[in-house]
Amino acid sequence: MKINGKTILHGIMGNPVSHSLSPAMHNSAFASLGLNCAYVPFPTADVQEAMAGFRALGVRGVSVTIPHKQAVIDFLDSIDPVAEKIGAVNTLLITDKKIKGLNTDWIGANRALEDCISLDGKKILILGAGGSARAIGFGLLEAGCSIMLASRTENKGRELAATLDCPWHPLDEIENLKADCLVNATSVGMNPDSNRSLMPRTSLSQFSVVMDIVYAPLETKLLREAKEEGCKVVNGTAMLLYQGVAQFELWTGRPAPLDVMRQELLAALTH
Ligand code: NAP
């Protein structure tokens, strides 16, 4: 599709954004459905100015990434209730100059797990107490799960556990915790430190499903060992893909071309 006077603009705001995989994923999806839409990076230092720019220029949809996921909230016209609970927005939907903030990170995590297991009533152990653990925790509660949190820094972990109304454990207790699924929402195992995993291998067989949200490398040490222990595994690209799929569907009102987006994402991650 050629860019012309009717092209509907989308993009990603953050600082930095030049490394983002989202332009490749969304532009390939627009092209495959023949939509006259484009998605570009918006390197953003001043959130207030950027938000005024999106309104003024008729931008339709924006992904929001580090460090602006909290700061954009002050400049929204409305916010989705789950995004409000999470306290972070990764998606803007702009209609008639009104900006609505949403969060599709939790939708991405839920859909990634739902490829392997039905979530309602399941018990999930989440490792980590950062931004992703928070979004994933609220999302799993929305899906009817009961959750447990384990993390390194006690006061931060206890604070998030209190917000999620769930138990908190230090990392030296995790090998004895029983659950249906394990989700690593820490950066442990990420390149270049890819030979690390928080969960001892001998405890992995108790989980039916193990998801790692780290996507570089595609197969972390945790996932390699979990697969060898007979668990179903979900790698970090699934959450990344499905959060983008949810954004695409919000912006266009059309079912996303899942295979095209998956292929483009994997190509960008492995090139
Ligand atoms: P964050 O807010 O900085 O939180 C990081 C968490 O990891 C914290 O709980 C931190 O512990 C924990 N951690 C870091 N190093 C640790 C160590 N050596 N031992 C134990 N815990 C450790 O980061 P985030 O935004 O949540 O992202 C976490 C990871 O997810 C990153 O690797 C990121 O690339 C990835 N991610 C993936 C997706 C996806 O779609 N797949 C989306 C977002 C992020 P403390 O509690 O002690 O601070």
Side-chain angles (χ1 to χ4, degrees):
M1 182 65 68
K2 282 210 174 102
I3 289 183
N4 60 25
K6 293 184 177 158
T7 301
I8 301 170
L9 195 56
H10 304 70
I12 178 162
M13 71 184 293
N15 195 7
V17 285
S18 57
H19 64 290
S20 173
L21 307 173
S22 295
M25 188 169 63
H26 285 296
N27 283 318
S28 66
F30 291 143
S32 89
L33 296 187
L35 299 176
N36 189 353
C37 296
Y39 185 106
V40 296
F42 296 124
T44 304
D46 187 316
V47 173
Q48 184 168 13
E49 282 183 358
M51 298 290 267
F54 300 148
R55 281 191 186 90
L57 299 173
V59 173
R60 169 71 177 159
V62 178
S63 311
V64 184
T65 189
I66 291 167
H68 300 320
K69 286 186 179 186
Q70 284 89 26
V72 291
I73 292 175
D74 286 344
F75 306 103
L76 298 172
D77 296 293
S78 63
I79 185 165
D80 169 80
V82 184
E84 190 167 27
K85 279 194 229 170
I86 295 170
V89 157
N90 80 326
T91 306
L92 306 179
L93 175 66
I94 304 147
T95 318
D96 299 331
K97 298 190 188 295
K98 300 278 185 227
I99 306 185
K100 180 172 185 180
L102 305 104
N103 188 307
T104 65
D105 286 329
W106 71 272
I107 299 173
N110 281 14
R111 283 189 67 177
L113 283 168
E114 280 162 351
D115 276 348
C116 286
I117 193 168
S118 136
L119 287 173
D120 192 18
K122 297 296 187 304
K123 193 167 189 178
I124 320 276
L125 171 58
I126 302 171
L127 306 182
S132 301
R134 187 178 171 90
I136 291 168
F138 275 111
L140 291 172
L141 292 178
E142 289 290 315
C145 298
S146 66
I147 57 178
M148 291 181 287
L149 202 67
S151 65
R152 178 178 60 179
T153 306
E154 178 163 0
N155 59 352
K156 191 173 156 190
R158 283 197 186 280
E159 199 175 313
L160 178 58
T163 309
L164 294 169
D165 196 17
C166 75
W168 176 85
H169 299 270
L171 290 174
D172 59 11
E173 288 178 9
I174 58 176
E175 58 196 282
N176 300 314
L177 298 175
K178 304 261 180 287
D180 299 295
C181 301
L182 171 69
V183 176
N184 177 42
T186 75
S187 48
V188 175
M190 191 168 80
N191 285 335
D193 228 358
S194 58
N195 203 28
R196 291 204 57 206
S197 164
L198 291 174
M199 183 61 83
R201 182 187 179 127
T202 47
S203 301
L204 285 168
S205 61
Q206 63 173 307
F207 302 101
S208 312
V209 178
V210 176
M211 177 162 91
D212 200 334
I213 72 162
V214 169
Y215 52 79
L218 290 180
E219 186 178 66
T220 57
K221 182 181 182 195
L222 171 68
L223 293 189
R224 190 171 62 249
E225 293 184 342
K227 201 154 78 180
E228 285 164 6
E229 293 299 319
C231 313
K232 288 182 190 163
V233 297
V234 184
N235 72 23
T237 59
M239 174 175 166
L240 201 56
L241 171 68
Y242 285 127
Q243 63 78 30
V245 162
Q247 292 182 323
F248 185 92
E249 293 178 347
L250 279 164
W251 296 331
T252 64
R254 303 272 294 266
L258 194 58
D259 291 339
V260 171
M261 293 175 80
R262 183 185 286 117
Q263 255 172 30
E264 198 64 33
L265 189 59
L266 286 175
L269 279 168
T270 53
H271 92 279

